[in-house]
Amino acid sequence: MRVWRDPLYWLLAVFLLLLWGLPHSGPLFAHWFPQLERPLYQQESFWRLALAHLSLVISGSALAIIFGVSSGVFATRRAGRAFRPLLETLAAAGQTFPPVAVLAIAVPVMGFGATPAIMALFLYGLLPILQGTLAGLDSVPASNREIAVGLGMGPWRRLWQIELALAAPVIMAGVRTSVMISIGTATIASTVGAESLGSPVIIGLSGFNTAYVIQGALLVALLALICDRVLERVQRQLSGWEG
């Protein structure tokens, strides 16, 4: 019975139901928007757009996690402490650039498609992960490091089994924020020829078709809520493991 009380399963069920049902909802949107000649988005399959959207988010977030966590670890080591202000400044600069500007700069170099969109997601999602990694590693008590040294642990073993293990919940909070940013930002990937759930939104805005905008925005919002719930569970598990 706990399954039925879990919001995650309800959100997932509604999302899947919409992916299946939206292609058959033409009469409903025609009733709501009688002034529109074509109230139902039919250029691409909603299933295909959802998978493409997830692929963009996963690719961009994976790059941000790899670079953000490794940079955070480097900046907290003795050899990298002098580079910490520079890394934080570069990550912050990446997020201050509007995603549209990043796409406009990347397209002449990388061409149209998913590649410039992934680059924009990477730059835009890097800062929360880097900040979470730095904050998490800084919060590890010095006594824990001293005990690890006393037990004869080497630097890599200390980093993996002590520092990253204790910092994992804070790092995961940064990852969670980054993924939420990426899901929303991936909506504009359609402007450079990449498929995403933003396709109905962009086409709807350019053609003054509110029905298209609602269909795309609803799916993006549900996807964000589902991912947030999943990552929240991972964060809670990491916090429990830490305790």
Side-chain angles (χ1 to χ4, degrees):
M1 292 298 295
R2 290 182 60 186
V3 172
W4 297 106
R5 297 195 299 268
D6 192 332
L8 173 61
Y9 294 105
W10 284 103
L11 289 169
L12 186 58
V14 172
F15 182 71
L16 294 175
L17 183 62
L18 281 176
L19 287 177
W20 172 82
L22 277 176
H24 309 287
S25 62
L28 179 62
F29 281 96
H31 175 72
W32 286 345
F33 302 95
Q35 76 280 9
L36 296 177
E37 183 180 348
R38 304 178 70 178
L40 181 63
Y41 181 82
Q42 296 178 319
Q43 280 85 332
E44 293 101 358
S45 163
F46 286 106
W47 288 95
R48 180 175 176 177
L49 293 179
L51 290 174
H53 199 103
L54 271 174
S55 177
L56 289 175
V57 171
I58 291 172
S59 299
S61 297
L63 288 175
I65 291 170
I66 293 170
F67 192 86
V69 174
S70 59
S71 298
V73 170
F74 173 71
T76 55
R77 303 304 98 179
R78 182 177 301 175
R81 284 172 189 159
F83 296 94
R84 178 168 177 166
L86 175 62
L87 290 172
E88 290 181 301
T89 301
L90 291 176
Q95 196 171 49
T96 56
F97 271 95
V100 176
V102 176
L103 292 174
I105 296 171
V107 165
V109 178
M110 302 178 179
F112 285 89
T115 304
I118 292 172
M119 180 58 62
L121 296 182
F122 160 65
L123 292 175
Y124 221 55
L126 180 61
L127 181 61
I129 298 175
L130 176 60
Q131 288 181 331
T133 304
L134 293 172
L137 291 174
D138 287 342
S139 67
V140 176
S143 58
N144 290 71
R145 294 188 177 95
E146 293 169 1
I147 292 172
V149 172
L151 292 174
M153 289 186 177
W156 286 106
R157 190 178 172 193
R158 279 201 312 272
L159 173 65
W160 182 255
Q161 295 187 358
I162 303 298
E163 296 184 62
L164 287 178
L166 294 174
V170 182
I171 296 174
M172 195 63 212
V175 171
R176 185 178 168 189
T177 301
S178 177
V179 171
M180 293 302 100
I181 293 173
S182 294
I183 291 175
T185 306
T187 306
I188 65 170
S190 302
T191 59
V192 293
E195 290 185 336
S196 75
L197 287 172
S199 298
V201 177
I202 301 300
I203 294 175
L205 289 173
S206 61
F208 302 99
N209 191 319
T210 308
Y212 285 9
V213 176
I214 291 175
Q215 292 157 27
L218 188 60
L219 289 172
V220 172
L222 282 171
L223 180 62
L225 289 172
I226 290 169
C227 291
D228 185 57
R229 288 281 179 174
V230 171
L231 294 175
E232 180 189 23
R233 292 187 174 202
V234 175
Q235 187 179 352
R236 281 206 310 261
Q237 289 180 352
L238 291 173
S239 299
W241 179 44
E242 175 192 11

